[in-house]
């Protein structure tokens, strides 16, 4: 008897759409429509005449992608949604058209561009017309998000494409305007095609910034026309493991068509050992062994020498060239983990300090940062810096400088209290590389400072504005998940990124609060949906990790109450 | 001055071959040979006439694989080995033949079969004959290992296949005779082709047992002719996610040609919920919700009912059929995590206990185990059981029963002290699935009992005979790395398996002691070699995770002293 009672008291798992990230506002019904085999995407005549060459190209490319999904995506494995196939198929349940309307022809994809959209899918015909969905947005970038949302609403079953829960009414907009993913392509190299695929998956998750940590101490894969030796000597392979100007252009264009900005990072003055492969004369503490740890956070050590005129001569040629390769308004100038002990043990620097009695290591650092930032500004860009410049070195930078925080919430508070805008992503929550142990070979137990692995639940629980006042929170323009690539390359890229980055994507788009202002938790609000979204990503060819046994994913009967 | 001194005192990284697992005995020289474009594999006339149909087939298949590697493997990325291309190519440095000789025609691949081999590669011609390598073994299975060793000795450079460090003299044999990898194909399904690929990579790493944890509570993918409903109702998909008799035959044959035994596990009486999908009448505590944790280690709960006659009737038909699908002498009968509370709350069982005053839950368990093991024995097999039957339930089983230990060294000691032979693989060291957090959705922090991730260093530091006397150690016949698949499927299989399983493979083959009887450590003895081996596996098409930035892999200059 006891058993019977217990057996009957199982959870009722409600069928849910797998929308991920969850829209800000979503009303839905209970009717299942079918997507017609002649389903088409149209735009209003006003939209057609409004769009310019650029926005038209974005629209055509997005339409093509959606139709390709509709044609080829056989998402039969949805664990949580199992719509009933309607008995008869006729005009009363066939969705035949999605009409797109855009009200501006803004084509510049910049921080804060309007990304909102409204998607309406009725449950029945009006005046005997075919059932018609409507997508409205102020900009073409909102349209992109709307189409991606639409692409998560249907399921393939019995050779039919079912769209359950009609009518739908979705009004959606992002919580944060900077929703980024950092990929480090210097510690290990990633082929361009892997970057492009990453951009695809990012766009489905409504990320809008690819932070391209493109060079570092270990390699310099960017081909410079002014200094070809940088990559000839500093890349892992000057033929097969570099990014040419054309590669970069291709990446930017591909990202633009998907509503993603490319922000490059050329980290300086630390993390620059790869420059020493071709220009040792402007570098110092080059690959110190075995005590590199006194000179840098990781091997190989090496920093630009800020006391030499030729360092600046070099940067005045190189940085304008590099900035010209990229189209975004922002340029990440690096600035993390500068090692002052390195400079303090460099003869030419101590000599400089002796000659200039008002100078110090800190004024030298300030000089370097100010000068490089000025070059960036002269190139028409705004600089981004890592937090250290503000909180460790107490530099006073122009307050339109964007500051990226990678440690904890106290640092976020510190930086915004100084009036800077912040992009955040804590190593305790959003470092996707952690948890694979040390890679220096000096620890039999394999521990690493950034253990443990950041589970999707941990990632989902991160609040970028934790502990801030509303006023302070306004200065946090967004966040980034970060994949440093000491132990990552193309072999494990997708497994490390997905679906964990999706958890961050929802925090940045509409999380972590639900409509009743309660913090969403993994168990109550996310697991079933994320599982479903993960299966759809797999169906689209992404090696996203499974979250549960398939039995659990299908039944929801392993989800313990929190 | 200080800096200069430090810069000069870097490590000298010696060039090493990437042999993995390291042979027991290996003498090498310093000459670089070239593998001739007409390189061929031959056998001695005696070998040719000795081999029977089976062993001949193994040999031909292995020769084909090696020649395919030699033809298509462009292993140019070796980080640590950079042989100098000889200036001239002539008879004095061209390796043209490898001659194989086998001294017995043993074709049965069973526990303890001789796997030793001796490989000799001279550095020069003898009597003006072409340079000829020799591979000698007592069995064809030794030949397989020898050919795999040979396939790690050469490097592709400037369109040439270089074989450095000649002359080579390798005498090799395994430390343990059972070197296994467990794959759980029930929590999530793995297509046959992924199993075959896993077998390939296993053979390169000299594993010789694939422990096929083929069914579990969540799914029953094995197609039974006697009880087709088992998989029709209990598999994830009766068409696309099952293993037919033919599939199993294919896997066994593929493994046999690579020197790998297939040991199936049909876990009973716990972990059997999937049987309830078709035969609820012989099951109890079926999918208890929400308090499944009182009835099983994981959802869904469900155990075979040992008090019912029809349970045994079922097993007397099913088990002989299942054992007949497999060829190995051993059959894993499961036996882990039996929940007595489940049985104690089952009316038919308490009724049975009341009717049989000398009975108890423990005697009922003993009856079940003895009866199923007897069926296994009657089918000509020897049973393997999980440790619980011996250490938790104190059953006395025939002492040729093999016991698999999954917890700690104390349990190994306990089991061998009772005279049983042991296969071990501790969850603290060799569970490849750990460290991805919980999957039940009830923990925002995502923790799991088996955190953290087992790094390759941790895996490498495991000693299967830790704390045992020499006599006790003799009863440990080997070990297994284990991939439970709650959070694994084909998307992340290779990344989770490789190269971490390689670390275990070396422990089982020749580790953890070096020739001077010192414990090998990751930093001093393994990192550079494993990195190199990982690159070769990647070159062969395996998504094995990177261990370091490529700069470090190439230079060795990130490897800190232990």
């Amino acid at each position: 008897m006891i058993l019977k009672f217990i057996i009957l008291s199982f959870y009722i798992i409600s069928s849910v759409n797998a929308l991920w990230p969850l829209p800000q506002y979503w009303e839905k019904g209970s009717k299942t429509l079918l997507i017609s085999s002649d389903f088409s995407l149209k735009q209003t005549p006003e939209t057609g005449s409004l769009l310019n060459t650029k926005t038209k190209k974005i629209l055509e490319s997005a339409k093509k992608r959606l139709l390709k999904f509709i044609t080829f995506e056989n998402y039969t494995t949805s664990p949580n949604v199992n719509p009933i196939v309607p008995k008869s198929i006729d005009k009363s349940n066939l969705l035949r058209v999605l009409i797109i309307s855009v009200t501006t022809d803004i084509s510049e994809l910049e921080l804060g561009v309007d990304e909102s959209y409204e998607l309406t899918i009725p449950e029945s015909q009006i005046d005997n017309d075919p059932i018609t969905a409507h997508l409205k947005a102020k900009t073409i970038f909102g349209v992109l998000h709307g189409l991606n949302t639409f692409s998560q609403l249907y399921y393939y079953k019995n050779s039919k494409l079912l769209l359950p829960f009609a009518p739908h009414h979705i009004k959606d907009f992002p919580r944060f305007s900077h929703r980024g993913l950092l990929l480090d392509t210097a510690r290990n190299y990633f082929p361009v095609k892997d970057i492009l695929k990453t951009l695809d998956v990012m766009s489905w998750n409504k990320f809008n910034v690819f932070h391209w940590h493109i060079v570092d101490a270990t390699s310099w894969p960017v081909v410079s026309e002014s200094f070809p030796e940088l990559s000839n000597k500093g890349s892992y392979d000057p033929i097969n493991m570099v990014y040419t100007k054309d590669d970069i252009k291709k990446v930017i264009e591909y990202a633009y068509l998907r509503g993603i900005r490319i922000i490059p990072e050329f980290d300086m003055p630390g993390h620059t050992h790869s420059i020493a492969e071709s220009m040792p004369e402007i570098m110092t503490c080059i690959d110190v062994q075995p005590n590199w740890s006194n000179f840098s956070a990781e091997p190989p050590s090496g920093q630009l020498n800020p006391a030499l005129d030729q360092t600046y001569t070099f940067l005045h040629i190189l940085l304008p060239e590099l900035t010209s390769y990229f189209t975004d308004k922002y340029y990440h100038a690096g600035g993390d983990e500068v090692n002052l002990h390195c400079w303090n043990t460099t003869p030419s620097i101590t000599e400089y300090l002796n000659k200039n009695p008002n100078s110090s290591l800190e004024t030298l650092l300030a000089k370097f940062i100010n000068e490089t930032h000025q070059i960036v500004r002269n190139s028409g860009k705004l600089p981004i810096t890592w937090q250290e410049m503000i909180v460790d070195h107490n530099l006073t930078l122009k307050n339109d400088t964007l500051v990226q925080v990678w440690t904890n919430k106290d640092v976020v508070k510190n930086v915004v209290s100084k009036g800077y805008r912040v992009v955040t992503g804590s190593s305790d929550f959003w470092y996707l590389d952690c948890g694979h142990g040390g890679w220096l070979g000096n620890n039999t137990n394999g521990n690493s400072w950034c253990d443990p692995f950041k589970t999707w639940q941990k990632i989902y629980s991160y609040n970028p504005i934790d502990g801030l006042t509303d006023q302070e929170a306004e200065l946090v323009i967004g966040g980034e998940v970060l994949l440093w690539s000491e132990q990552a390359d193309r072999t494990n890229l997708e497994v490390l990124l997905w679906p964990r980055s999706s958890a961050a994507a929802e925090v940045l788009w509409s999380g972590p609060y639900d409509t009743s202002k309660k913090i969403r938790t993994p168990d109550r609000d996310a697991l079933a949906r994320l599982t479903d979204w993960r299966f759809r990503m797999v169906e689209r060819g992404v090696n996203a990790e499974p979250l549960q046994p398939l039995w659990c994913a299908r039944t929801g009967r392993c989800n313990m109450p929190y």
Side-chain angles (χ1 to χ4, degrees), chain A residues 42-51 55-56 59 99-106 114 116 135-144:
Chain A
K42 295 183 175 158
Q43 54 268 19
T44 59
E46 297 77 15
T47 301
S49 55
L50 178 76
L51 295 182
T55 46
K56 199 171 281 172
L59 181 61
I99 296 180
I100 296 161
S101 80
V102 193
T103 55
T104 75
D105 66 340
I106 289 170
D114 192 300
S116 67
L135 172 60
K136 290 178 190 166
K138 287 201 185 119
T139 73
I140 194 68
F141 307 109
V143 170
L144 290 176

Side-chain angles (χ1 to χ4, degrees), chain A residues 69 166 244 296 357 361 379 391 441 461 466 518:
Chain A
F69 280 152
T244 64
S296 65
L361 292 172
S379 306
V391 296
S461 72
D466 193 11
K518 276 198 296 194

